[in-house]
Amino acid sequence: MEHATTPIAGQTPGTSGLRKKTRIFMAPHFLENFTQSIFDAIGGGAGKRFVLGGDGRFFNAQAIQSIIAMAQANGAAEVIIGRGGLLSTPAASHLIRSRGADGGFILSASHNPGGIEADFGLKYNGANGGPAPEAVTQKMAATSAGLTRYYKADGADVDLDTIGTTTRGQMQITVVDPVADYAALMESLFDFDAIAALFAGGFTMCFDAMHAVTGPYAHAILEQRLGARAGTVINGTPLEDFGGGHPDPNPVWAHELMARMSSPDAPDFGAASDGDGDRNMIVGRGAYVTPSDSLAVLAAGAHLAPAYAGGIAGIARSMPTSAAADRVAKALGVEMFETPTGWKFFGSLLDAGRVTICGEESAGTGSDHVREKDGLWAVLLWLNILAVRKLSVAELMADHWARFGRDHYARLDFEEVPSEAAHAMLADLGARIPTLAGTRVEGMQITAADVFAYTDPVDGAQSANQGWRIWFEGGSRAVLRLSGTGTQGATVRLYLEQYRPPDAAGSVEAAQVLAPLRAAVLALCDFQKHLGRTTPDVTT
Ligand code: G1P
Ligand code: ZN
C-alpha cells in the first residue's frame, strides 16, 4: 500500500548506518522514510531476499515488524529473520552470505545505550554481507531528501518466536535460530578441540556480554560447545536497555569485567563484546590489551588456527589505528593497507582477496569469514592462539613486544561538544595544516601534517577529508577526527601514538610516553579556547 510522506531532515547515514535518538526513530514516518530510501537506493525490493535482525534494544521488535511490512509492499521474495528479532551484526553478515541473500537490514546503534531515551539505529548491508558502500549510502541520503511516498503492507504482526516458514502475500518469511549457522562457522575456522582441551585443563575465563546480543552466542559456543565452566558468561541475557549501561567493551564501560580481572581470584582470560556483537575487548589477568595491539597479535598468530594455517594475504587497519599491525605485515611479507574509519572500507579489499585480517582501534577485528568486524571471532582466535602457545595473555604480549617493539597508544574522546565549536577548532587546524611541517609546539618539532584522503586500491573510489594527521620528531603521530556515529552534538576524537623499539630501556606506561605529545596537540589546536576543556570524557 502506498503512503504519502514528506522528506525528513537528518537521514544521512554516518560511519555505520543511521543512528538517532530512539524517539526520533519512533516518530511518525521516520523509520518508514529511511527504509524506503534504502529500497529506492538499491533499485527496489522486487524479487529480492533480505536478512533482518537486530541487537534486541528497545524498539527492535516493532521496527522489524515495520520493515517486514515494507519489504512485502516493495515486492520482496523472502525475509530471513533471527528468532526473537535477534541477530548479531557478524551473524547477520554470515547469513546474507551463506543464504545468498541480496542484502540485510541490521537494527542496532552498536555500543550506544538503548531505551526510549537512548539510541537506535538502522544499517543496510549488501550481498557481500558488508556495510553498504559510500556511493549507496549517499544515494540513500539523496533519496530521503526528496521522498514523497513509501510502501507498507497492512496486516497483523508476524510471529518472530517460532522457527519456520510462513508467507505474506508474495513474500516468504523464514525465522531461523540466530546462533546455529554462526556457531557452525566458528567451528569451521578454529581448533575447537584445542580450545576445549584448554578449558578441560582448568583454564578459566570471564566473558561479559553486557546484556547485549552476544549472550546467547557466548553461552552456546563457550560454555556448551567448548566446555568453559558455567558462569563463564556474565550479563548473558539480552535486555532492551542493556541493563542501563553502555554496551561498549572498553575498560570504562566494562568495569565489572575489569574489576574481576584485577581481583586476586581473576580468571586467566577476560573478554567482552558490544551491543550488536561486532566489537571486542581482550584482557588478561591484570593485563589489558589495546585493540591496536590485539589486531597485531591476531595477525601474527592467525596461522595457528586451521582457517588461516596457509598464511594471510594481507592486513588492513583504519588510519587512526596504531602501526603495530604494520610491523607484523612487514615481518610476514604481506601487504598492509591504511583505510578511513569504518568497516565498509575493508569490504573491497576482502572481496578482492587482498587482505585476510582487518581491524580498528575502536575494538573491532575481523577476517574474510564475514564482511563485518566480529567480536566472538576475535575472542575465539585469541583462545586458539593461547591454546597452542600455552602462554598467559601477559606472556604473549611480552613475547610480541620483544619481537616487534611496542606502539604506545591512546584515544581521547571529547563527547557532546557543541557542533560549531568542534567544527571551528578543526577548521582552524585544517587551515594551518599545509604550513605546520618544520614548526615547533610545546618544544616538539612537527615533521609532517596532512588531511587523510583515500583511494580504494580495488575500485578506485575516493574518500576525502578523513581526518587530520600530524607527525612529530621521534616518530610519534597524532590524529584528529570527528565521530560519525554520535547522536548528540559532536564528538572530537584525538588519537596519540609513539613507537618504542624492543631494545628501548625500561617499561613505561602509555600515559607517560604520550604525555609530551598530548600536551603539544592540546596546545596546537587550543582545546581550551575552542572546547573550554582539555580533559577528555573517555580515554581508551
Ligand atoms: C566509531 C569508531 C569506528 C567504527 C565505528 C562503527 O566511529 O571510531 O572505528 O568503525 O564507530 O563501529 P566514529 O564514531 O569514530 O565515527
Ligand atoms: Zn557494534
Side-chain angles (χ1 to χ4, degrees), residues 15-16 19 110-111 274 278-279 318 341-343 360-363 373 411 481-486 491 493 495:
T15 319
S16 181
R19 275 185 213 174
S110 189
H111 51 287
D274 72 328
D278 57 358
R279 293 186 174 201
S318 68
T341 292
W343 204 262
E360 296 192 274
E361 51 63 42
S362 53
K373 54 194 176 228
R411 179 177 107 177
R481 55 178 288 281
L482 282 174
S483 159
T485 58
T491 293
R493 303 205 197 283
Y495 312 79

Short mmCIF file of all heavy atoms in Angstrom, two decimals, residues 15-16 19 110-111 274 278-279 318 341-343 360-363 373 411 481-486 491 493 495, ligand 1:
data_model
loop_
_atom_site.label_atom_id
_atom_site.label_comp_id
_atom_site.label_asym_id
_atom_site.label_seq_id
_atom_site.Cartn_x
_atom_site.Cartn_y
_atom_site.Cartn_z
N THR A 15 29.16 6.81 9.82
CA THR A 15 30.18 5.76 9.73
C THR A 15 29.56 4.38 9.63
O THR A 15 30.09 3.50 8.97
CB THR A 15 31.06 5.79 11.00
OG1 THR A 15 31.32 7.15 11.34
CG2 THR A 15 32.36 5.09 10.79
N SER A 16 28.43 4.21 10.27
CA SER A 16 27.88 2.86 10.36
C SER A 16 26.36 2.92 10.34
O SER A 16 25.70 2.65 11.32
CB SER A 16 28.42 2.26 11.66
OG SER A 16 28.01 0.98 11.84
N ARG A 19 22.12 6.51 12.85
CA ARG A 19 21.90 6.41 14.29
C ARG A 19 21.25 7.68 14.79
O ARG A 19 21.70 8.78 14.45
CB ARG A 19 23.22 6.23 15.04
CG ARG A 19 23.63 4.81 15.07
CD ARG A 19 24.87 4.64 15.92
NE ARG A 19 25.64 3.56 15.33
CZ ARG A 19 26.83 3.20 15.73
NH1 ARG A 19 27.41 3.83 16.73
NH2 ARG A 19 27.46 2.21 15.15
N SER A 110 24.83 -0.16 17.78
CA SER A 110 26.11 -0.72 18.22
C SER A 110 26.31 -0.62 19.74
O SER A 110 25.52 -1.15 20.50
CB SER A 110 27.24 -0.04 17.45
OG SER A 110 28.45 -0.70 17.70
N HIS A 111 27.32 0.13 20.15
CA HIS A 111 27.67 0.21 21.56
C HIS A 111 26.96 1.36 22.27
O HIS A 111 27.20 1.58 23.45
CB HIS A 111 29.18 0.40 21.66
CG HIS A 111 29.64 1.53 20.79
ND1 HIS A 111 29.68 1.41 19.42
CD2 HIS A 111 29.99 2.79 21.07
CE1 HIS A 111 30.08 2.56 18.90
NE2 HIS A 111 30.27 3.41 19.87
N ASP A 274 30.11 -5.90 22.32
CA ASP A 274 29.24 -4.73 22.41
C ASP A 274 27.79 -5.07 22.07
O ASP A 274 27.42 -6.24 21.94
CB ASP A 274 29.75 -3.60 21.50
CG ASP A 274 29.53 -3.91 20.04
OD1 ASP A 274 29.57 -5.10 19.68
OD2 ASP A 274 29.30 -2.97 19.25
N ASP A 278 29.80 -6.91 17.32
CA ASP A 278 30.91 -6.83 16.37
C ASP A 278 32.21 -6.34 17.02
O ASP A 278 33.28 -6.52 16.47
CB ASP A 278 30.55 -5.99 15.13
CG ASP A 278 30.09 -4.59 15.46
OD1 ASP A 278 30.00 -4.25 16.66
OD2 ASP A 278 29.80 -3.83 14.51
N ARG A 279 32.11 -5.74 18.19
CA ARG A 279 33.33 -5.27 18.85
C ARG A 279 33.81 -6.26 19.91
O ARG A 279 33.03 -7.09 20.37
CB ARG A 279 33.09 -3.94 19.56
CG ARG A 279 32.80 -2.81 18.62
CD ARG A 279 32.72 -1.51 19.37
NE ARG A 279 32.57 -0.42 18.42
CZ ARG A 279 32.87 0.84 18.68
NH1 ARG A 279 33.32 1.18 19.87
NH2 ARG A 279 32.71 1.77 17.76
N SER A 318 42.28 0.69 10.05
CA SER A 318 41.81 2.05 9.81
C SER A 318 42.95 3.01 10.15
O SER A 318 43.84 2.68 10.96
CB SER A 318 40.57 2.35 10.64
OG SER A 318 40.89 2.37 12.01
N THR A 341 38.24 5.41 8.62
CA THR A 341 37.47 4.79 9.70
C THR A 341 36.16 4.20 9.18
O THR A 341 35.49 4.81 8.35
CB THR A 341 37.19 5.86 10.77
OG1 THR A 341 38.42 6.20 11.38
CG2 THR A 341 36.22 5.36 11.81
N GLY A 342 35.78 3.05 9.68
CA GLY A 342 34.52 2.41 9.28
C GLY A 342 34.80 1.11 8.54
O GLY A 342 35.69 1.04 7.69
N TRP A 343 34.04 0.08 8.90
CA TRP A 343 34.33 -1.24 8.36
C TRP A 343 34.10 -1.33 6.87
O TRP A 343 34.70 -2.15 6.17
CB TRP A 343 33.49 -2.31 9.09
CG TRP A 343 34.13 -3.64 9.01
CD1 TRP A 343 33.84 -4.65 8.13
CD2 TRP A 343 35.24 -4.12 9.80
NE1 TRP A 343 34.68 -5.71 8.33
CE2 TRP A 343 35.54 -5.42 9.35
CE3 TRP A 343 35.99 -3.57 10.84
CZ2 TRP A 343 36.57 -6.17 9.92
CZ3 TRP A 343 37.01 -4.32 11.40
CH2 TRP A 343 37.28 -5.60 10.93
N GLU A 360 40.32 -2.19 13.69
CA GLU A 360 40.25 -0.77 14.02
C GLU A 360 40.62 -0.59 15.49
O GLU A 360 40.40 -1.49 16.30
CB GLU A 360 38.84 -0.24 13.81
CG GLU A 360 38.36 -0.28 12.38
CD GLU A 360 37.08 0.52 12.23
OE1 GLU A 360 36.00 -0.02 12.47
OE2 GLU A 360 37.19 1.71 11.87
N GLU A 361 41.08 0.60 15.80
CA GLU A 361 41.44 0.91 17.18
C GLU A 361 40.24 0.90 18.12
O GLU A 361 40.37 0.86 19.33
CB GLU A 361 42.17 2.25 17.28
CG GLU A 361 41.48 3.43 16.61
CD GLU A 361 40.15 3.79 17.19
OE1 GLU A 361 40.03 3.79 18.42
OE2 GLU A 361 39.23 4.09 16.41
N SER A 362 39.04 0.97 17.52
CA SER A 362 37.82 1.06 18.31
C SER A 362 37.29 -0.33 18.67
O SER A 362 36.09 -0.53 18.77
CB SER A 362 36.77 1.82 17.52
OG SER A 362 36.63 1.25 16.23
N ALA A 363 38.19 -1.28 18.86
CA ALA A 363 37.81 -2.61 19.36
C ALA A 363 37.11 -3.46 18.32
O ALA A 363 36.26 -4.29 18.65
CB ALA A 363 36.97 -2.51 20.62
N LYS A 373 33.18 -6.57 11.32
CA LYS A 373 34.04 -6.97 12.42
C LYS A 373 33.26 -7.97 13.27
O LYS A 373 32.04 -8.02 13.21
CB LYS A 373 34.50 -5.76 13.22
CG LYS A 373 33.39 -4.88 13.72
CD LYS A 373 33.99 -3.55 14.19
CE LYS A 373 32.87 -2.61 14.61
NZ LYS A 373 33.03 -1.27 14.04
N ARG A 411 43.44 6.79 22.79
CA ARG A 411 42.40 7.59 22.10
C ARG A 411 41.67 8.40 23.15
O ARG A 411 41.19 7.85 24.14
CB ARG A 411 41.42 6.69 21.36
CG ARG A 411 40.34 7.50 20.66
CD ARG A 411 39.40 6.63 19.86
NE ARG A 411 38.11 6.51 20.51
CZ ARG A 411 37.07 5.85 20.00
NH1 ARG A 411 37.20 5.23 18.84
NH2 ARG A 411 35.93 5.79 20.64
N ARG A 481 39.87 13.58 14.44
CA ARG A 481 38.72 13.47 13.54
C ARG A 481 37.43 13.63 14.32
O ARG A 481 37.43 13.57 15.55
CB ARG A 481 38.73 12.16 12.73
CG ARG A 481 38.82 10.88 13.51
CD ARG A 481 38.76 9.66 12.60
NE ARG A 481 37.43 9.44 12.05
CZ ARG A 481 36.42 8.88 12.72
NH1 ARG A 481 36.59 8.46 13.96
NH2 ARG A 481 35.25 8.73 12.16
N LEU A 482 36.38 13.86 13.57
CA LEU A 482 35.06 13.98 14.19
C LEU A 482 34.36 12.64 14.07
O LEU A 482 34.41 12.00 13.02
CB LEU A 482 34.22 15.04 13.46
CG LEU A 482 34.52 16.50 13.76
CD1 LEU A 482 33.71 17.39 12.84
CD2 LEU A 482 34.20 16.81 15.23
N SER A 483 33.69 12.24 15.14
CA SER A 483 32.94 10.98 15.10
C SER A 483 31.81 11.07 14.10
O SER A 483 31.18 12.11 13.94
CB SER A 483 32.37 10.71 16.50
OG SER A 483 31.29 9.83 16.42
N GLY A 484 31.54 9.94 13.44
CA GLY A 484 30.40 9.86 12.53
C GLY A 484 29.28 9.01 13.11
O GLY A 484 28.35 8.65 12.40
N THR A 485 29.36 8.69 14.40
CA THR A 485 28.35 7.80 14.98
C THR A 485 27.61 8.42 16.16
O THR A 485 26.73 7.79 16.71
CB THR A 485 28.98 6.48 15.47
OG1 THR A 485 29.99 6.81 16.42
CG2 THR A 485 29.58 5.70 14.34
N GLY A 486 27.96 9.63 16.54
CA GLY A 486 27.31 10.26 17.70
C GLY A 486 25.86 10.59 17.38
O GLY A 486 25.45 10.64 16.23
N THR A 491 31.44 14.77 18.58
CA THR A 491 32.48 14.12 19.38
C THR A 491 33.80 14.28 18.65
O THR A 491 33.91 13.90 17.48
CB THR A 491 32.15 12.63 19.60
OG1 THR A 491 30.99 12.54 20.42
CG2 THR A 491 33.31 11.92 20.29
N ARG A 493 37.60 13.17 18.38
CA ARG A 493 38.49 12.11 18.81
C ARG A 493 39.94 12.52 18.51
O ARG A 493 40.25 12.98 17.41
CB ARG A 493 38.18 10.81 18.05
CG ARG A 493 36.76 10.32 18.20
CD ARG A 493 36.68 8.83 17.98
NE ARG A 493 35.32 8.37 17.72
CZ ARG A 493 34.37 8.22 18.64
NH1 ARG A 493 34.64 8.51 19.89
NH2 ARG A 493 33.17 7.79 18.31
N TYR A 495 43.75 10.89 18.68
CA TYR A 495 44.47 9.61 18.77
C TYR A 495 45.96 9.90 18.85
O TYR A 495 46.50 10.65 18.04
CB TYR A 495 44.21 8.77 17.53
CG TYR A 495 42.77 8.62 17.09
CD1 TYR A 495 42.12 9.64 16.38
CD2 TYR A 495 42.07 7.45 17.33
CE1 TYR A 495 40.80 9.48 15.94
CE2 TYR A 495 40.76 7.28 16.89
CZ TYR A 495 40.13 8.30 16.20
OH TYR A 495 38.84 8.15 15.76
C1 G1P B 1 33.28 4.59 15.63
C2 G1P B 1 34.69 4.04 15.60
C3 G1P B 1 34.95 3.40 14.26
C4 G1P B 1 33.90 2.35 13.98
C5 G1P B 1 32.51 2.93 14.12
C6 G1P B 1 31.45 1.87 13.99
O1 G1P B 1 33.10 5.54 14.63
O2 G1P B 1 35.63 5.04 15.88
O3 G1P B 1 36.24 2.85 14.24
O4 G1P B 1 34.05 1.84 12.69
O5 G1P B 1 32.37 3.54 15.40
O6 G1P B 1 31.53 0.90 14.98
P1 G1P B 1 33.22 7.12 14.88
O7 G1P B 1 32.25 7.47 15.97
O8 G1P B 1 34.63 7.36 15.33
O9 G1P B 1 32.92 7.75 13.55
#
